[in-house]
Amino acid sequence: MNTKILNKRRSSAKIINYIICAMSEHVWFAHANVKVAVCGASGGIGQPLSLLLKGSPHVTELSLYDIVHTPGVAADLSHIETAAAVKGYNGPEQLKDALKGAEIVIIPAGVPRKPGMTRDDLFNTNASIVRDLAKACAEVCPKALIGIISNPVNSTVPIASEVLQKAGVYDPNRIFGVSTLDVVRANTFIAEAKNLDPTKVNVPVVGGHSGVTIIPLISQAKPSVEFSKDKLKALTERIQATGTEVVKAKAGAGSATLSMAYAGARFTFALCRALKGEPNIIECAYVRSNITEAKYFSTPLLIGPSGIQKNLGLGKLSDFESELLAAAIPELKKNIQKGEDFVNK
Ligand SMILES: NC(=O)c1ccc[n+]([C@@H]2O[C@H](COP(=O)([O-])OP(=O)(O)OC[C@H]3O[C@@H](n4cnc5c(N)ncnc54)[C@H](O)[C@@H]3O)[C@@H](O)[C@H]2O)c1
Ligand SMILES: *[C@@H]1O[C@H](CO)[C@@H](O)[C@H](O)[C@H]1NC(C)=O
Ligand SMILES: *[C@@H]1O[C@H](CO)[C@@H](O)[C@H](O)[C@H]1NC(C)=O
Ligand SMILES: *[C@@H]1O[C@H](CO)[C@@H](O)[C@H](O)[C@H]1NC(C)=O
């Protein structure tokens, strides 16, 4: 073909490409800057998470929201010599300002159990907090990618989803229950057991985010690893109960905060990189799903600038993992219903 025609074709392809980019909401270069809002920024998770985010070149603006202490946390973090501009917002009257322009919202807000609180009270407290934060997101930053850390994740994700749906701005590809800590723990324990470099191990963890619903797919670990049946069972049970291990070790001083902050930051950076147009961003998260009978379910996801690009599904399960899945589904369905009922009551 004549080079003149070829060049012409190339340049018209370029122009078309440019127009497509300009028309799409998610032009990659529009995301050279990423504003992240952390809701619950003064807490046990919120503070170290905000520290890690402030330390990263992925974040250009960091908005710290809580109902207490954010002026102090923000002043403190703002003196760190990194580019992210930090601002604190304190109390519900400042919530909307905190969320304005946020492309990513991470929610580690909650109220710990107080004496006399029943299980239902405990559920209702965090559920209301997540509901109200989701309402504000629906109004102020409906296109943001939202990562929910607040427990019970198995119900708070359905709660936020129902709220956004009622507001008419629900996009199931943009709401994530952060289950990264389960993956981080699985990677660490498998690496320990096989004497591998933990940074090179990747174990997908699927299902829900508590107890028997946490299903590490050790048969799909990379690099691939072999265990006896007993060892496999012990490792799986440890991964399912690691939260309790930390609560016991902290002896009344709370649950996992530092490892959760690490996991939350890892997940947030994945979202930032996806927003900037980096390809092949894959993370497990608990999302709206039609992979199983449970309406929300965690699996590996290919994440792009508009959130989930592709749900990568379960892959091939071992017999042991299939049994774990069968045990998890009825439990999960109950909890999802509880979250939906909470919003609809
Ligand atoms: N997803 C996970 O793997 C995982 C792991 C560990 C903990 N968690 C959950 O993360 C949440 C936070 O845990 P933590 O240890 O940091 O708790 P924490 O009590 O130390 O911190 C919670 C923070 O939320 C703030 N808060 C309360 N109400 C708020 C509201 N309406 N708006 C904004 N902020 C509000 C509190 O002031 C506090 O600063 C809990 O729900 C916990 O169960 C999740
Ligand atoms: C609600 O969040 C608090 C932390 O603020 C946590 O201690 C508590 O366990 C959470 N409640 C539930 C039901 O998970
Ligand atoms: C959902 O989470 C809550 C609190 O973390 C827990 O009590 C409940 O057992 C969980 N359900 C499932 C199915 O994981
Ligand atoms: C499952 O979900 C995906 C993504 O949300 C969607 O593209 C697909 O059509 C759904 N499949 C069914 C059977 O509903």
Side-chain angles (χ1 to χ4, degrees), residues 38-43 46 64-70 88-92 98 108-109:
V38 179
C39 297
S42 305
L64 305 180
Y65 175 74
D66 202 301
I67 52 169
V68 289
H69 306 318
T70 32
Y89 299 87
N90 215 46

Side-chain angles (χ1 to χ4, degrees), residues 5 7 99 154 163 186 201 230 245 270 293 314 317 324 334:
I5 297 177
N7 280 342
L99 295 174
N154 54 20
V163 167
V201 176
D230 286 350
E245 201 178 292
E293 269 175 69
L314 286 167
L317 303 186
L324 295 175
K334 248 189 329 207

Side-chain angles (χ1 to χ4, degrees), residues 15 72 247 292 343:
I15 293 170
V247 168
T292 69
V343 176

Side-chain angles (χ1 to χ4, degrees), residues 10-29:
R10 278 204 188 120
S11 65
S12 51
K14 239 187 209 163
I15 293 170
I16 290 170
N17 214 3
Y18 178 79
I19 294 172
I20 292 172
C21 281
M23 277 164 36
S24 115
E25 281 172 81
H26 287 286
V27 187
W28 67 269
F29 46 80

Side-chain angles (χ1 to χ4, degrees), residues 108-113 119 122-123 126 151-152 255:
V111 173
R113 176 169 229 145
R119 266 183 101 76
L122 195 63
F123 174 87
N126 291 358
N151 272 323
S255 55

Side-chain angles (χ1 to χ4, degrees), residues 55-79:
S56 165
H58 290 304
V59 179
T60 35
E61 254 186 276
L62 186 57
S63 178
L64 305 180
Y65 175 74
D66 202 301
I67 52 169
V68 289
H69 306 318
T70 32
V73 174
D76 195 353
L77 286 177
S78 71
H79 298 154

